[in-house]
Amino acid sequence: MKIAVKVNGRLYESDVEPRTLLAYYLRETLNLTGTHIGCDTTSCGACTVLLDGEAVKSCTVLAVQANGREVMTVEGLEQNGQLHPVQKAFWEAHALQCGYCTPGMLMASYALLQDNPAPTEAEIREALSGNICRCTGYVNIVKAVQLAARELSGEGQEALQEVEAHGASSN
Amino acid sequence: MALRQTELRPLGKPVGRKEDPRLIRGKGRYVDDIMLPNMLHLCVVRSPYAHARIRRIDASAALAAPGVKLVLTGEDLAKMNLAWMPTLAGDRQMVLATEKVLFQYQEVAAVVAETRAQAEDAAQLIEVDYEPLPVVVDPFYALSPEAPILRDDKEKKSNLIFHWEAGDREETEAIFREAPVVVKQDVRFPRVHPSPLEPCGCVADYDTARSKLTFYVTSQAPHAHRTVLALVSGLPEHQIHVISPDVGGGFGNKVPVYPGYVCAIVASLKLGVPVKWIETRTENIASTHFARDYHMTAEIAAREDGKVLALRVKTVADHGAFDGAADPSKFPAGLFSIVTGSYDFKAAFVEVDGVHTNKPPGGVAYRCSFRVTEAAYLIERVMDVLARRLGMDPAELRMRNFIRKEQFPYRSPTGWVYDSGDYEKTLTLALERIGYEELRREQAERRARGEFMGIGISTFTEIVGAGPSHTFDILGLKMFDSAQIRVHPTGKVIARLGVRHQGQGHETTFAQIIAEELGLTVDDVLIEEGDTDTAPYGLGTYASRSTPTAGGAAALCARRIRQKARKIAAHLLEVGEDDVVWDGTAFSVQGLPGRSVTMKDVAFAAYTNVPEGLEPGLEASYYYDPPNLTFPNGAYIAVVDIDKGTGAVKVRRFLAVDDCGTVINPMIVEGQVHGGLTEGFAIAFMQDIPYDADGNCLAPNWMDYLVPTALDTPHWETDRTVTPSPHHPIGAKGVGESPNVGSPAAFVNAVVDALSPLGVEHIDMPIYPWKVWSILRAHGVTE
Ligand code: FES
Ligand code: FES
């Protein structure tokens, strides 16, 4: 089947088997390997991308369902060589270890902050509950999302200083 | 941005991770990201039965299916002498089953096709005629005379794999005969699975023109894997290039060699093109190595004042169909004999029976160094049983029995020599920080109101850093580790290590060690691991061994460089070598503070202006064989509240005070602790891989095998004490597993403490709400 999908702002036209999952289409046809696959039961969220702005697990969406729509993947977060604040925040708050869940976490966090620019800790945990991380224990992921929220709302410098202070004196 | 990378003296600072920029851009390179021209895809056909004879395999329909290039069966492999392969425990394991299968999801055939979907479709067309056989799931039944013998290939007369003992039986018995107090408790550590987020997989790429196999694999131990592959395949080792690219978590699961790897290699050899095999989550949980599954009984002999005297432990360990336990050869039950823990027992006797059942092979050291998790959980659980029996506060009982700091180096009754520790200090800090006395007061008040609040303590001793080579080996490969440092003319450094991280942050921490030793910045040092063509030989990353072994190698290798650098510095400063002093950032002339040269100056001179008679260049390697293991410790406290209506346990607070010796990067240490606590929490409250009577795996995916999400996971508090290891070059001990080893007991002790007014002395993990709910109801608690 022929599909036309806009991914990270660029239009791709491809011929896919109808059963191709969006995750595989992104990874194998478009070579956008930032979207990861961690399970076969829609449990882990490693494959999370935005479909017309909404976070979806791309292992549960058919590529043909994305026809005529817009997809944003982790590769689309960086703009003009500038990391997105949510990416910076993950780095600064040590919110990743092996990095395998990270693209999905970033996309889920990005989607959350689009909808809710100032989420509470409970709201963050709720929003990320479809994304499994086996390495970090979530505390720092939550911290990163809070940091990104503040950075996006213009409190960036202050937030960064706090994290630095925390990092230096933690324990 | 990246914090303080340009500072000199980076050791001990929370330097931002160098690995993160690529990972947050989605530019990590994991095995499944590798796509090579003409690459084919392999899919494994697995047994639906736990125990069955294979009468016939018919692959003709699969072979005729679209895109299919090859079907492999055990018979095909037998012709190449590859139907069996060695396990890490020195057992043998079928690659593809011939004659019979021994566990559900066992590998029976492999299909190679142009696309993964085609391979999966064709796999459905393979017809296997099975004759079901009686299934053995219970390890105690497996040991009984009426159980069928599972491993007839080994000509065994029973399902016993090994019987192993440590300690002094007679002395222990004698103490038990006289002891005024004896407590006894059966404790089960459930069968769990490491489940890293990235499943296992590989790409095998055999280049027929060069007779060279390039093998990309999710590996925690690439060099060991290369050697095993050479021994199994007969390919010369220097013609095998193992590359372990970014690895999406390991936790012990990526230490063994799996049948899918061997099949992919055989397929690539036969077809002359790259072949990829990536397992599904279900395959990962249901067929790759599990962990734990220890059925333990412990007895403590003690005085009435709480002083412990002797420990006696009997254990049955379910190792499944093939003994794949990742253990040093000398220790068939791993380091389980660390079970005397943090306490000064006069005597101990420990025995373990390893048993075959119709379950997947195992077990791996899942975020623990070889059975230490089981041991720490057992002793910490049983110390609480003793405290309760004596009516003593569990903190007080521990304080009374700790190995005291002046006793180090301490020889345990099972033969381990602990390097250093100050257990009292660690627990004291934990009690103060959590506000222990206040919490106990609150608990008394709540109890009076009929509420169930619990406080659980675990004060554990870990044992990590395998080697040393005089006692440690895997399949005969001695355990040490290595570093190779090359300083370029401009003072930029590439360092390669024999370990391979899977998220632990080696690219940053090892850069910190080397930068510190050489007076450079973290930005000056690039760390590379995981490529056997470039990295020096090493035994890999698991069992918290990287910092104790490769960290030592990195420091000593850097010091070797510094020795040569001093000679060059003397030449540049025009003084004798003895007049040169190193202050951590530069070489200067003794007594003449103004005259100094930096490592960068020296590096340039090493290629442009070496003193006569000195070899040019500035590089070194170091194979570090540690003199002993390291013994991190910790004091963990959990505070829980139990909901009487549902039986749900809420972890209100959890504090982990760790002592892992010298800290290289506090941010990374804290991150490792958070991660380990989350896995410990999962084990205590969520995880188990149950099997029904027919050997069906009942939790082969993340809908049934529960892994904690952000919603489930408590908020972690951490703190630390620092007791450097006296024998490690920088005093570091390793930390990655401590939280996973130490925390289950704190959780369970807290829940038992909460329910103790009902007379509860023990609950086996995982503590599902229904278990607690049933206990509450059985005692007439109705909300
Ligand atoms: S791969 Fe999509 S949810 Fe796990
Ligand atoms: S960082 Fe490894 S799974 Fe999240």
Side-chain angles (χ1 to χ4, degrees), chain B residues 722-767:
Chain B
V722 176
T723 317
S725 170
H727 64 75
H728 186 270
I730 62 167
K733 289 185 170 180
V735 74
E737 319 175 318
S738 288
N740 190 50
V741 165
S743 64
F747 293 119
V748 177
N749 285 347
V751 176
V752 173
D753 182 50
L755 296 174
S756 62
L758 304 178
V760 173
E761 291 216 320
H762 176 69
I763 307 175
D764 271 330
M765 300 186 288
I767 302 181

Side-chain angles (χ1 to χ4, degrees), chain B residues 149-168:
Chain B
I149 311 291
L150 304 179
R151 293 294 301 280
D152 35 20
D153 62 285
K154 292 206 293 189
E155 281 149 31
K156 290 196 67 111
K157 305 258 179 302
S158 80
N159 293 314
L160 181 72
I161 307 169
F162 63 81
H163 173 82
W164 182 69
E165 303 179 346
D168 188 328

Side-chain angles (χ1 to χ4, degrees), chain B residues 67-134:
Chain B
V68 172
K69 301 289 177 196
L70 179 74
V71 173
L72 289 172
T73 63
E75 269 177 43
D76 302 322
L77 296 182
K79 287 182 204 133
M80 308 167 75
N81 207 15
L82 283 175
W84 292 79
M85 63 178 186
T87 69
L88 294 178
D91 190 6
R92 45 194 236 121
Q93 174 175 356
M94 285 180 236
V95 176
L96 293 176
T98 53
E99 292 174 33
K100 64 177 192 168
V101 290
L102 285 168
F103 64 93
Q104 190 189 38
Y105 290 100
Q106 189 179 339
E107 299 79 1
V108 174
V111 183
V112 182
E114 280 165 19
T115 68
R116 181 171 176 154
Q118 287 171 337
E120 281 171 9
D121 286 348
Q124 310 274 338
L125 302 174
I126 293 195
E127 281 177 35
V128 187
D129 185 2
Y130 294 101
E131 173 193 336
L133 296 169

Side-chain angles (χ1 to χ4, degrees), chain A residues 95-102 105 132-136 141, chain B residues 196-198 248-249 251 502-503:
Chain A
L96 62 148
Q97 291 183 22
C98 78
Y100 200 76
C101 71
T102 308
M105 285 288 179
I132 287 170
C133 176
R134 287 293 279 164
C135 303
T136 65
I141 293 178
Chain B
L197 198 66
E198 176 204 37
F251 315 119
Q502 320 105 42

